[in-house]
């Protein structure tokens, strides 16, 4: 449950975190979720009104999560690709929290960034491949679900631009981005990295996640006892609520706001602003004065979630009409055959 924290409490916590980050040879690991991307205009999945699942619940899907179910994808891939069109990398600018992680990377203190997000914004922010672990996969690669043949992003985009489902050149199976669907295994690299990192973290920063999806949710609970755990979130959750440690720090605030406060205390504010403005210019090809504020981006997230729902519904309605037309044709053929039967 979320609650208001006083300015004095927030300042005290910020100072404590800064002290930890400034320690010699500090090793920082991030565990992040959709909450660090909502300020970018990307809708999350579980918010009651603006989340993708809330909007998809209105559709004629067997259940909202079916859009990410591998068996449903085999039968009806159109729903996923309608959603993928809106979330595809290139439309969104990393948030200030993404760039805060990037600064930790540049300052040499980032051990790893474990993310639940599929949007690749950590990579777009400039964090190197060996420092990012996308626990639920991402749009960074694409493979056939039957023979595992790889397809380039350019080729996949070509299919999508033509409103066609990407199919494998080798076996004609459906191709999808390397997002982990329900029914698929998590990346093997997750466990390889975690075995290396679990006892080698000084500061564990958990941000923008409800810690509701396992096994990712268990990672902050497993970090070594020497690690200082920090939660930056709208509400307290997971192990911070059920099994808190005395050294835990909890900041119940917007992730970008905390990133700005930390960078101010660390002397990184100019670096943060430069990265964020450069990201806006690069991704949106705009000037500094044309960047969107966070409230506009949140409105955009809600609009995108609704638009996705409407597009998926239109696609499903088209499928239903096609199925009905096929059934009508079958009935007409059967009726014609019956008329031609002569009774002897």
């Amino acid at each position: 449950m979320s609650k208001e924290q006083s300015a004095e409490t927030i300042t005290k916590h910020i100072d404590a975190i800064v002290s930890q980050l400034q320690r010699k040879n500090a090793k920082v690991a991030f565990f992040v979720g959709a909450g660090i991307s909502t300020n970018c205009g990307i809708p999350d999945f579980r918010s009651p009104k603006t989340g993708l699942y809330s909007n998809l619940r209105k559709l004629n899907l067997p259940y909202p999560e079916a859009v990410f179910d591998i068996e449903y994808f085999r039968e009806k891939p159109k729903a996923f690709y309608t959603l993928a069109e809106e979330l595809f990398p290139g439309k969104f600018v990393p948030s200030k929290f993404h760039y805060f992680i990037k600064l930790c990377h540049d300052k040499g203190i980032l051990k790893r960034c474990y993310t639940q997000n599929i949007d690749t914004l950590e990579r777009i922010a400039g964090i190197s491949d060996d420092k990012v672990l996308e626990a639920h996969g991402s749009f960074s690669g694409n493979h056939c679900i039957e023979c595992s043949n790889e397809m380039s992003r350019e080729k996949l985009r070509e299919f999508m631009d033509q409103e066609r489902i990407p199919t494998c050149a080798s076996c004609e199976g459906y191709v999808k981005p390397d997002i982990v669907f329900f029914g698929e295994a998590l990346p093997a690299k997750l466990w390889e990295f975690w075995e290396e990192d679990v006892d080698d973290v000084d500061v564990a920063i958990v941000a923008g996640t409800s810690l509701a999806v396992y096994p990712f949710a268990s990672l902050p609970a497993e970090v070594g006892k020497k690690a200082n755990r920090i939660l930056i979130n709208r509400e307290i959750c997971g192990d911070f609520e059920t099994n808190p440690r005395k050294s835990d720090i909890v900041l119940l605030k917007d992730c970008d706001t905390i990133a700005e406060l930390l960078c101010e205390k660390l002397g990184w504010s100019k670096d943060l602003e430069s990265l964020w403005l450069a990201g806006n210019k690069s991704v949106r090809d705009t000037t500094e004065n044309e960047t969107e504020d966070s409230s506009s981006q949140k409105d955009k997230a809600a609009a995108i979630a609704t638009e996705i729902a409407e597009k998926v519904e239109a696609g499903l309605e088209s499928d239903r009409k096609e199925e009905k037309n096929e059934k009508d044709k079958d009935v007409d053929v059967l009726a014609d055959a019956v008329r031609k039967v002569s009774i002897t």
Side-chain angles (χ1 to χ4, degrees), residues 31 194 198-199 201 204 218-225 227 229 245:
F31 306 86
W194 189 235
V198 62
D199 292 318
V201 173
S218 67
L219 301 185
E222 294 176 7
V223 293
K225 297 299 182 182
R229 303 192 312 174
R245 301 181 186 180

Side-chain angles (χ1 to χ4, degrees), residues 227-262:
N228 292 295
R229 303 192 312 174
I230 298 157
L231 177 67
I232 303 169
N233 213 33
R234 291 290 188 181
E235 57 186 22
I236 193 165
C237 59
D239 202 55
F240 289 88
E241 183 174 28
T242 59
N243 191 29
R245 301 181 186 180
K246 288 183 179 181
S247 60
D248 284 349
I249 294 175
V250 175
L251 282 163
L252 303 179
K253 282 287 182 181
D254 175 76
C255 293
D256 280 4
T257 299
I258 296 303
E260 290 175 327
L261 291 172
L262 286 169

Side-chain angles (χ1 to χ4, degrees), residues 48-119:
K49 294 182 180 179
T50 61
L52 290 175
Y53 286 157
S54 176
N55 282 276
L56 292 174
R57 202 181 308 278
K58 304 170 186 175
L59 309 182
N60 191 29
L61 295 171
Y63 49 95
E65 293 86 349
V67 73
F68 288 116
D69 186 288
I70 190 61
E71 295 306 322
Y72 189 81
F73 180 83
R74 291 180 191 277
E75 297 296 323
K76 295 184 177 181
K78 186 182 290 186
F80 168 75
Y81 271 105
T82 302
L83 181 148
E85 176 64 37
E86 298 301 326
L87 301 183
F88 204 78
K91 295 183 178 182
F92 303 99
V93 181
S95 68
K96 289 189 175 181
F97 197 89
H98 286 103
Y99 286 121
F100 170 60
I101 302 173
K102 161 67 172 167
L103 285 171
C104 289
H105 176 276
D106 292 349
K107 305 296 181 182
I109 64 175
L110 179 64
K111 176 67 176 178
R112 204 86 64 189
C113 176
Y114 291 87
T115 177
Q116 293 175 284
N117 300 333
I118 62 176
D119 52 39

Side-chain angles (χ1 to χ4, degrees), residues 145-160:
I145 64 171
E146 304 299 341
C147 72
S148 299
N149 192 39
E150 187 171 9
M151 178 180 285
S152 69
R153 176 180 290 191
E154 292 73 24
K155 187 65 177 176
L156 185 93
R157 186 69 252 185
E158 184 180 318
F159 272 99
M160 292 174 65

Side-chain angles (χ1 to χ4, degrees), residues 190-327:
L190 168 62
W191 308 118
E192 295 172 12
F193 278 9
W194 189 235
E195 185 176 355
E196 177 184 335
D197 296 346
V198 62
D199 292 318
D200 194 29
V201 173
D202 301 313
V203 183
I205 300 178
V206 181
T209 173
S210 61
L211 291 179
V213 179
Y214 287 84
F216 184 93
S218 67
L219 301 185
E222 294 176 7
V223 293
K225 297 299 182 182
K226 73 170 186 175
N228 292 295
R229 303 192 312 174
I230 298 157
L231 177 67
I232 303 169
N233 213 33
R234 291 290 188 181
E235 57 186 22
I236 193 165
C237 59
D239 202 55
F240 289 88
E241 183 174 28
T242 59
N243 191 29
R245 301 181 186 180
K246 288 183 179 181
S247 60
D248 284 349
I249 294 175
V250 175
L251 282 163
L252 303 179
K253 282 287 182 181
D254 175 76
C255 293
D256 280 4
T257 299
I258 296 303
E260 290 175 327
L261 291 172
L262 286 169
C263 286
E264 182 181 351
K265 288 282 188 175
L266 288 161
W268 298 355
S269 290
K270 288 184 179 179
D271 293 336
L272 179 68
E273 195 68 13
S274 295
L275 285 171
W276 189 67
L277 290 174
N280 273 272
K281 189 175 187 303
S282 174
V283 177
R284 296 183 183 165
D285 194 26
T286 62
T287 64
E288 294 178 2
N289 293 329
E290 292 173 317
T291 58
E292 295 181 75
D293 61 27
S294 61
S295 62
S296 297
Q297 291 166 338
K298 288 175 183 177
D299 290 342
K300 180 180 177 183
I304 288 173
T306 302
E307 182 180 355
I308 290 170
E310 290 171 350
K311 286 185 177 181
V312 176
E313 174 62 19
L316 292 173
E317 180 62 28
S318 175
D319 287 346
R320 288 193 287 268
K321 286 180 179 178
E322 289 178 11
E323 290 174 4
K324 183 178 184 301
N325 289 338
E326 289 300 318
K327 289 178 181 177

